[in-house]
Amino acid sequence: MKVFVTGASGFVGSEVVKELLVNGHQVVGLARSEESAKSIREAGAEVLMGDLDNLDILQKGAREADGVIHTAFIHDFSDYQTNALKDQKAIEAMGEVLKGTDKSIVVTGGTLGLPLIDGKITEDSKAPAESIRFSEKAFADLSQSGVRASIVRLSPSVYGNSESGFKGGFGVMLAELAKAKGLAAYIGEGNNVWPAVHRVDAAKLFRLALEKGETGARYNAVSNDKPLSMKEFAELIGEKLNIPVKSLSIEEAPEYFTWMTYFVQENCPATNLQTREKLGWNPSEKSFVEELNQYFF
């Protein structure tokens, strides 16, 4: 297929591009700068210049492709709602030109903050109507309108080595924060857990969802490893960096975690059983702890 990939030079998107090319697909990657365009071309993909505000460009990319993988997001979580709305509009715009076709669009969501079903976040867990997780709403609306839309919901800790060192999602941000403050903290008893997924495994899931995903399907990008509790994670960071570990009250937390306070409180016992069964996905990269030991410390 000819696949239009947004976020094609990003941490996850760049790996998606590689995964698609290795498996025989042609890729057109969205680039918002010449630097991004250069990295996309070097990976072996074509370039379409634009960003999430250029809805006409997004529609052009979707219209001229056989399928779309949307990984782009403005990662300023201090203004999450504004950026989530931009994400929603981008998904809606691309979906509009896919109506009446059999073209697949795979959008990106997250497992963090979803409701629990029998103590777990499963693929049946749906974001409530009042949720600010707008990509999930946009995907659901497209599915109901007949677009072959599915969603890959990432773990809060997406990790993996890259040319510029160890990078990742919220988990890596917390490790960097502890290093900067000289203190590894968690909130309350710290029993809430966060799953993780390697970006290579996530990229494979995006490809499988594009090729075999069902309309309206939700897929959880969660590794098979036992997730760390926030207390266990803080203790690991404290041990590796030789810094103190401390439990903070909910009143103390904002001074340490700032905008991340809400997320750090969330419990995310997400599972991937349906995702593995339906798509034959088998996450097999090194664990988050192994990656931390090798690249961060």
Side-chain angles (χ1 to χ4, degrees), residues 28-66:
V28 177
L30 184 71
R32 61 181 179 179
S33 68
E34 284 302 326
E35 182 181 1
S36 294
K38 181 174 181 289
S39 68
I40 293 169
R41 290 192 186 99
E42 288 176 348
E46 299 174 34
V47 170
L48 181 62
M49 297 300 297
D51 59 31
L52 294 186
D53 290 318
N54 303 135
L55 300 185
D56 289 345
I57 293 295
L58 294 176
Q59 289 187 322
K60 171 182 170 63
R63 185 182 297 111
E64 296 178 355
D66 302 311

Side-chain angles (χ1 to χ4, degrees), residues 233-287:
F233 181 65
E235 288 173 342
L236 175 65
I237 299 297
E239 176 189 348
K240 296 297 181 181
L241 293 179
N242 195 27
I243 57 177
V245 178
K246 184 179 180 182
S247 169
L248 302 178
S249 69
I250 191 60
E251 292 76 24
E252 295 171 318
E255 184 177 350
Y256 179 94
F257 292 110
T258 62
W259 61 266
M260 292 182 72
T261 303
Y262 167 78
F263 300 102
V264 174
Q265 297 176 71
E266 289 293 308
N267 188 29
C268 190
T271 65
N272 65 11
L273 181 60
Q274 292 181 43
T275 299
R276 288 189 287 119
E277 287 180 347
K278 291 181 178 179
L279 295 180
W281 180 59
N282 182 33
S284 58
E285 295 295 319
K286 66 181 67 173
S287 72

Side-chain angles (χ1 to χ4, degrees), residues 1-133:
M1 286 187 280
K2 180 179 181 180
V3 187
F4 178 48
V5 179
T6 70
S9 62
F11 184 67
V12 174
S14 60
E15 201 63 46
V16 170
V17 170
K18 293 178 187 176
E19 175 68 17
L20 290 169
L21 292 171
V22 164
N23 283 276
H25 298 293
Q26 179 185 353
V27 176
V28 177
L30 184 71
R32 61 181 179 179
S33 68
E34 284 302 326
E35 182 181 1
S36 294
K38 181 174 181 289
S39 68
I40 293 169
R41 290 192 186 99
E42 288 176 348
E46 299 174 34
V47 170
L48 181 62
M49 297 300 297
D51 59 31
L52 294 186
D53 290 318
N54 303 135
L55 300 185
D56 289 345
I57 293 295
L58 294 176
Q59 289 187 322
K60 171 182 170 63
R63 185 182 297 111
E64 296 178 355
D66 302 311
V68 178
I69 295 180
H70 175 57
T71 67
F73 191 83
I74 302 170
H75 289 96
D76 177 5
F77 291 100
S78 63
D79 192 15
Y80 178 83
Q81 187 159 354
T82 297
N83 296 324
L85 278 170
K86 286 187 177 183
D87 186 40
Q88 179 181 358
K89 290 178 180 178
I91 294 167
E92 291 171 344
M94 291 185 287
E96 189 64 33
V97 302
L98 300 181
K99 289 179 179 178
T101 76
D102 191 39
K103 296 179 180 180
S104 175
I105 179 170
V106 184
V107 307
T108 305
T111 53
L112 197 64
L114 293 174
L116 275 60
I117 298 176
D118 295 329
K120 300 288 184 181
I121 292 173
T122 75
E123 290 82 353
D124 295 322
S125 299
K126 300 177 182 179
E130 66 275 13
S131 172
I132 59 172
R133 194 176 295 285

